[in-house]
Amino acid sequence: MTGADVRLDGDATVALLATVLRDQPKLPRALCAGDQDTFDCTDGAQVQRAVALCGVCPELERCTTWAAGQRQLVGVVAGKYYRHKEWK
Protein backbone atom coordinates (compact mmCIF):
# COMPACT_ATOMS: atom_id res chain seq x y z
CA MET A 1 0.00 0.00 0.00
CA THR A 2 1.32 3.45 -0.90
CA GLY A 3 0.48 6.80 0.65
CA ALA A 4 -1.83 7.45 -2.29
CA ASP A 5 -3.84 4.33 -1.39
CA VAL A 6 -4.61 5.50 2.14
CA ARG A 7 -8.04 7.03 2.64
CA LEU A 8 -8.83 8.91 5.83
CA ASP A 9 -12.28 9.88 7.00
CA GLY A 10 -12.89 13.41 8.25
CA ASP A 11 -12.11 12.66 11.91
CA ALA A 12 -8.92 10.77 11.06
CA THR A 13 -7.76 13.59 8.81
CA VAL A 14 -8.33 16.17 11.53
CA ALA A 15 -6.52 13.99 14.07
CA LEU A 16 -3.55 13.53 11.75
CA LEU A 17 -3.30 17.25 11.03
CA ALA A 18 -3.57 18.07 14.75
CA THR A 19 -0.70 15.69 15.48
CA VAL A 20 1.50 17.18 12.76
CA LEU A 21 0.76 20.77 13.71
CA ARG A 22 0.97 20.27 17.48
CA ASP A 23 4.76 20.42 17.38
CA GLN A 24 4.95 23.55 15.24
CA PRO A 25 6.18 26.64 17.07
CA LYS A 26 3.92 29.62 17.64
CA LEU A 27 6.11 32.45 16.36
CA PRO A 28 3.77 35.18 15.10
CA ARG A 29 6.53 37.74 14.40
CA ALA A 30 8.84 35.29 12.59
CA LEU A 31 10.22 36.60 9.31
CA CYS A 32 9.79 33.15 7.76
CA ALA A 33 6.03 33.08 8.36
CA GLY A 34 4.37 32.53 5.00
CA ASP A 35 7.69 32.38 3.17
CA GLN A 36 8.59 28.69 3.35
CA ASP A 37 10.17 28.71 -0.13
CA THR A 38 12.94 31.01 1.09
CA PHE A 39 13.78 28.76 4.04
CA ASP A 40 13.25 25.33 2.47
CA CYS A 41 16.20 25.74 0.13
CA THR A 42 19.37 24.07 -1.10
CA ASP A 43 20.91 26.79 -3.29
CA GLY A 44 23.93 28.40 -1.62
CA ALA A 45 22.86 32.00 -2.24
CA GLN A 46 19.33 31.32 -1.05
CA VAL A 47 20.64 29.55 2.07
CA GLN A 48 22.82 32.59 2.85
CA ARG A 49 19.84 34.92 2.42
CA ALA A 50 17.67 32.80 4.70
CA VAL A 51 20.39 32.57 7.37
CA ALA A 52 20.80 36.37 7.21
CA LEU A 53 17.04 36.87 7.66
CA CYS A 54 17.10 34.57 10.69
CA GLY A 55 19.88 36.70 12.15
CA VAL A 56 17.59 39.73 12.36
CA CYS A 57 14.36 37.88 13.15
CA PRO A 58 12.55 38.99 16.33
CA GLU A 59 11.65 35.35 17.04
CA LEU A 60 15.18 33.92 16.68
CA GLU A 61 15.62 33.09 20.37
CA ARG A 62 12.28 31.27 20.64
CA CYS A 63 12.88 29.53 17.31
CA THR A 64 16.33 28.35 18.45
CA THR A 65 14.82 26.95 21.65
CA TRP A 66 12.13 25.12 19.67
CA ALA A 67 14.65 23.80 17.10
CA ALA A 68 16.88 22.38 19.84
CA GLY A 69 14.11 19.95 20.77
CA GLN A 70 13.49 18.67 17.24
CA ARG A 71 14.91 15.45 15.80
CA GLN A 72 14.50 16.24 12.12
CA LEU A 73 14.96 19.64 10.54
CA VAL A 74 15.22 20.56 6.86
CA GLY A 75 16.24 23.83 5.24
CA VAL A 76 17.14 26.91 7.25
CA VAL A 77 15.84 26.85 10.80
CA ALA A 78 16.92 29.26 13.56
CA GLY A 79 19.79 30.54 11.45
CA LYS A 80 21.27 27.14 10.68
CA TYR A 81 21.09 25.12 7.45
CA TYR A 82 20.00 21.47 7.68
CA ARG A 83 20.42 19.31 4.59
CA HIS A 84 17.67 16.92 3.64
CA LYS A 85 18.03 13.68 5.65
CA GLU A 86 20.42 15.28 8.13
CA TRP A 87 19.28 14.15 11.56
CA LYS A 88 20.25 15.44 14.95
Side-chain angles (χ1 to χ4, degrees):
M1 176 184 291
T2 68
D5 296 329
V6 175
R7 303 268 186 238
L8 299 174
D9 65 25
D11 291 339
T13 300
V14 170
L16 176 60
L17 286 171
T19 299
V20 169
L21 296 174
R22 176 183 53 228
D23 294 329
Q24 298 304 307
K26 307 294 186 276
L27 306 171
R29 299 177 306 140
L31 297 178
C32 61
D35 190 13
Q36 63 274 9
D37 291 340
T38 297
F39 295 86
D40 185 18
C41 52
T42 57
D43 174 69
Q46 193 173 6
V47 168
Q48 288 179 338
R49 178 177 179 269
V51 168
L53 284 172
C54 285
V56 297
C57 182
E59 297 283 14
L60 179 59
E61 185 176 332
R62 291 177 59 205
C63 184
T64 301
T65 299
W66 170 82
Q70 302 305 302
R71 289 185 55 232
Q72 174 186 355
L73 297 169
V74 176
V76 176
V77 180
K80 183 175 178 186
Y81 175 64
Y82 297 88
R83 289 187 178 97
H84 291 270
K85 297 190 179 184
E86 181 177 321
W87 313 106
K88 282 186 164 184

